[in-house]
């Protein structure tokens, strides 16, 4: 298994992948459009160019990341040199969802390859066109014993999970995340779980309301709201609510016209099952804006809902679609009551020109990651680890963090033989104070 030990081999494999993606970009964009009318701009932005940038970053840094890291030794071990070796786990399984069906297969796969693993990827069955082209690219680029793509649905995933792996990387829902964690526990296989949750978006009275509306509308309705880090619901200060809603309506219309159904920039819901699930969430809700649906095309307009109650269906589960409840708050206790009702979310956003308020919010709540005065864009920085906490996930990736995720960190102390300090050896009589002193000052 040359990829285990030869970093140049891994690098060349990634270069081959880069060339293959560049040469098939048009076909990838078409597959994404055929799957759910994903606009070419969004596909370039969030799928192909994103992956090409991740590939370039990895190719440029692979030698640095793979090198054993020298760390300061403990004086207790004097004389020694201490290292952390990055060892591939071995056989890695990557299971991906449908919502960013190219990016979410390729991004962890690149890191797993860079770290020297043998990789099997399982794309989502709900985006068959993208799954097919991912399988084609992989089979054309890699040796089957190095990287393999296995297509299929739930049964295929269950079959894969029944096998023994050295690492499992799963992106998807909380419900399936638990199934994966249970299967992994059978063999004590380490996992990364990239899951979802109800992401609050807090808008303070002291926010730049117009800009906040523009950034929230973009981050929410991108991919028709089918984004794990999209704002799930808004909490706007009572005093700013009316004006803010006007801005939200204005920004939706600017982005997608009066009739988003005819806009080339607004995708569709992935399938009938999810469309029906989302339409059911509209029942008994007060629609402030949008609300138009079309079953034939799995279309749901960008929709604003007014003050959805905590007991309403839409406030029970992750929405994962173009419905945006706008709730209001007056005090920080109101915020606390609503945000804390849910499991720790994958993201949280706060809009405020009051730095102290924004800082307080990001420190007060536990969540995977987020932004002050924007939404979603923390995903784009390779120097930030991306992942959830609690029910929104275990572990993180992107850039160097991804390389580390797919590597076992093996600690090595290399002892020199020219000196052998005697204090740790038996007989211990008379050495207790010396060991206390050494542990206190030199460990
Ligand atoms: P999902 O959990 O239904 O499916 C994900 C994968 O699991 C698919 O490949 C599917 O084949 C497989 N699967 C489905 N049911 C299974 C079962 N019973 N047993 C074994 N395998 C099974 O998720 P989805 O609908 O594809 O994606 C949407 C979810 O993913 C949302 O909850 C979203 O928040 C989350 N998500 C999270 C991230 C992240 O980075 N944290 C990114 C994208 C999506």
């Amino acid at each position: 298994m040359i990829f285990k030990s030869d970093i140049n081999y891994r690098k060349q494999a990634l270069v081959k992948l880069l060339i293959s993606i560049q040469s098939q970009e048009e076909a990838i964009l078409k597959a994404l459009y055929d799957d759910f009318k994903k606009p070419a701009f969004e596909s370039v932005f969030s799928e192909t160019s994103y992956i090409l940038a991740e590939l370039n970053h990895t190719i440029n840094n692979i030698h640095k990341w793979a090198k054993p890291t020298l760390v300061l030794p403990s004086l207790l071990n004097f004389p020694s040199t201490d290292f952390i070796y990055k060892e591939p786990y071995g056989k890695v399984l990557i299971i991906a969802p449908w919502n960013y069906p190219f990016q979410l297969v390729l991004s962890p796969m690149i890191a797993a390859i860079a770290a020297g693993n043998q990789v099997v990827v399982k794309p989502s069955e709900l985006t068959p066109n993208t799954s097919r082209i991912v399988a084609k690219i992989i089979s054309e680029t890699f040796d089957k014993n190095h990287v393999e793509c296995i297509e299929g649905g739930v049964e295929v995933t269950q079959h894969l999970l029944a096998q023994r792996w050295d690492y499992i990387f799963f992106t998807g829902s909380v419900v399936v995340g638990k199934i994966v964690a249970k299967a992994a526990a059978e063999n004590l296989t380490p996992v990364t779980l990239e899951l979802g949750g109800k992401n609050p978006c807090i808008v303070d009275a002291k926010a730049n309301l117009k800009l906040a509306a523009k950034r929230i509308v973009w981050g929410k309705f991108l991919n028709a709201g089918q984004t794990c880090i999209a704002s799930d619901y808004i909490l706007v200060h009572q005093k700013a609510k009316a004006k803010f809603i006007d801005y939200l309506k204005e920004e939706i219309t600017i982005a997608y016209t009066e009739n988003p159904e005819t806009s080339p920039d607004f995708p569709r819901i992935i399938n009938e099952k999810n469309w029906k699930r989302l339409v059911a969430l509209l029942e008994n809700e007060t629609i402030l804006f949008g609300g138009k649906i079309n079953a034939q095309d799995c279309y749901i307009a960008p929709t604003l809902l007014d003050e959805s109650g905590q007991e309403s269906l839409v406030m029970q589960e992750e929405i994962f679609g173009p419905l945006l409840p706008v709730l209001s708050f007056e005090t920080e206790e109101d915020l606390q009551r609503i945000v804390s009702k849910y499991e720790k979310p994958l993201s949280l956003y706060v809009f405020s020109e009051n730095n102290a308020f924004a800082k307080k919010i990001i420190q007060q709540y536990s969540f995977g990651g987020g932004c002050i005065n924007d939404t979603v864009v923390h995903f784009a920085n390779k120097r930030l680890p991306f992942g959830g906490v609690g029910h929104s996930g275990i572990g993180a990736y992107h850039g160097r963090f991804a390389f580390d995720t797919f590597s076992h960190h093996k600690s090595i102390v290399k002892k020199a033989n020219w000196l052998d300090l005697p204090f740790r050896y038996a007989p211990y009589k008379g050495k207790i104070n010396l060991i206390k002193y050494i542990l206190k000052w030199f460990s």
Side-chain angles (χ1 to χ4, degrees):
M1 290 198 211
I2 185 166
F3 51 84
K4 246 187 109 175
S5 53
D6 187 342
I7 293 158
N8 278 323
Y9 180 93
R10 300 180 205 165
K11 187 170 171 173
Q12 283 318 311
L14 293 175
V15 170
K16 232 174 129 187
L17 177 63
L18 182 107
I19 294 166
S20 174
I21 293 172
Q22 278 170 335
S23 68
Q24 302 191 55
E25 188 169 15
E26 282 308 315
I28 299 165
L29 301 185
K30 181 173 182 320
L32 287 157
Y33 185 82
D34 290 345
D35 279 330
F36 61 117
K37 289 197 176 166
K38 183 154 176 154
F41 177 89
E42 287 190 11
S43 292
V44 167
F45 173 73
S46 67
E47 311 260 9
T48 52
S49 285
Y50 179 90
I51 285 299
L52 291 172
E54 187 89 23
L55 265 169
N56 274 316
H57 185 61
T58 307
I59 290 165
N60 291 335
N61 287 288
I62 186 169
H63 281 284
K64 190 168 87 193
W65 295 343
K67 220 169 62 188
T69 321
L70 187 67
V71 298
L72 273 180
S74 160
L75 281 177
L76 202 62
N77 293 329
F78 185 80
S80 78
T81 30
D82 296 10
F83 299 93
I84 303 168
Y85 280 76
K86 320 290 165 51
E87 178 184 86
Y89 274 104
K91 268 175 66 183
V92 166
L93 173 64
I94 294 170
I95 304 170
W98 55 264
N99 64 327
Y100 288 83
F102 187 74
Q103 187 219 114
L104 293 174
V105 178
L106 273 284
S107 178
M109 185 187 92
I110 291 164
I113 294 169
N117 297 284
Q118 184 180 5
V119 189
V120 170
V121 300
K122 211 299 285 173
S124 173
E125 67 280 17
L126 301 188
T127 39
N129 296 295
T130 312
S131 173
R132 209 167 304 130
I133 194 153
V134 164
K136 177 173 175 280
I137 289 171
I138 289 175
S139 68
E140 286 169 358
T141 309
F142 301 102
D143 182 310
K144 205 174 167 199
N145 292 319
H146 183 195
V147 187
E148 190 182 3
C149 177
I150 298 181
E151 292 185 88
V154 173
E155 276 168 31
V156 170
T157 320
Q158 283 166 341
H159 176 70
L160 288 168
L161 285 173
Q163 297 171 32
R164 184 164 181 170
W165 301 91
D166 299 303
Y167 202 94
I168 300 176
F169 187 102
F170 171 80
T171 309
S173 60
V174 175
V175 174
V176 182
K178 289 181 185 176
I179 295 173
V180 172
K182 273 188 197 148
E186 272 307 307
N187 290 305
L188 293 180
T189 302
V191 289
T192 293
L193 301 177
E194 295 282 341
L195 311 175
K198 274 191 100 55
N199 307 319
C201 179
I202 298 167
V203 182
D204 181 28
K206 292 198 185 82
N208 177 335
L209 294 179
K210 186 165 170 51
L211 193 55
K214 188 182 186 125
R215 291 177 177 170
I216 292 167
V217 163
W218 174 77
K220 173 70 184 182
F221 299 111
L222 176 80
N223 221 34
Q226 300 164 113
T227 301
C228 56
I229 47 175
S231 308
D232 191 274
Y233 60 98
I234 305 266
L235 282 163
V236 58
H237 195 282
Q238 184 75 59
K239 281 197 248 168
K241 185 181 169 191
K243 207 165 170 195
F244 180 63
I245 286 173
D246 286 345
Y247 284 137
L248 284 176
K249 292 178 182 173
E250 204 175 292
E251 291 300 335
I252 293 172
T253 309
I254 291 171
Y256 305 109
T257 75
E258 296 280 348
N259 182 9
E261 195 168 2
T262 57
S263 163
D265 298 330
F266 190 68
R268 296 301 182 257
I269 305 307
I270 189 64
N271 59 14
E272 198 188 342
K273 186 175 162 211
N274 269 284
W275 182 85
K276 281 187 173 157
R277 175 184 66 80
L278 287 162
V279 169
L281 299 184
L282 286 172
E283 220 166 283
N284 301 324
E285 293 296 325
T286 309
I287 295 175
L288 284 169
F289 190 74
K292 196 174 162 206
I293 56 173
N294 180 352
Q296 264 156 15
D297 201 20
C298 284
Y299 169 76
I300 299 179
T303 298
L304 304 175
L305 305 175
D306 192 25
E307 301 289 350
S308 308
Q310 293 250 273
E311 66 299 330
S312 66
L313 274 180
V314 79
M315 290 305 289
Q316 299 302 310
E317 54 177 68
E318 179 186 10
I319 296 173
F320 217 60
L323 316 179
L324 185 56
V326 182
L327 281 57
S328 56
F329 71 95
E330 266 188 86
T331 64
E332 288 184 28
E333 288 69 41
D334 295 340
L335 282 180
Q336 166 85 22
R337 186 174 37 77
I338 298 169
V339 175
S340 303
K341 182 170 179 274
Y342 302 100
E343 296 289 350
K344 294 175 182 177
L346 185 57
S347 299
L348 181 148
Y349 307 110
V350 52
F351 286 80
S352 180
E353 305 229 299
N354 175 352
N355 258 333
F357 175 76
K359 250 175 126 171
K360 189 171 173 197
I361 293 292
I362 59 165
Q363 286 171 353
Q364 183 171 345
Y365 298 105
S366 181
F367 53 96
C371 308
I372 297 172
N373 293 328
D374 210 337
T375 66
V376 172
V377 293
H378 58 301
F379 192 88
N381 185 351
K382 297 182 256 315
R383 286 161 292 276
L384 291 172
F386 179 81
V389 59
H391 279 220
S392 57
I394 297 173
Y397 72 131
H398 285 188
R400 191 191 182 122
F401 301 99
F403 183 92
D404 286 343
T405 286
F406 287 105
S407 307
H408 165 58
H409 288 204
K410 191 190 256 176
S411 301
I412 299 294
V413 171
K414 181 173 177 245
K415 209 65 194 273
N417 291 340
W418 57 269
L419 179 70
D420 192 35
L421 293 171
F423 57 80
R424 65 176 155 145
Y425 300 111
Y428 301 130
K429 190 157 181 269
K431 291 180 178 172
I432 203 155
N433 285 333
L434 178 65
I435 198 70
K436 276 186 180 172
Y437 180 81
I438 288 173
L439 282 172
K440 182 166 178 193
W441 297 109
F442 297 110
S443 59

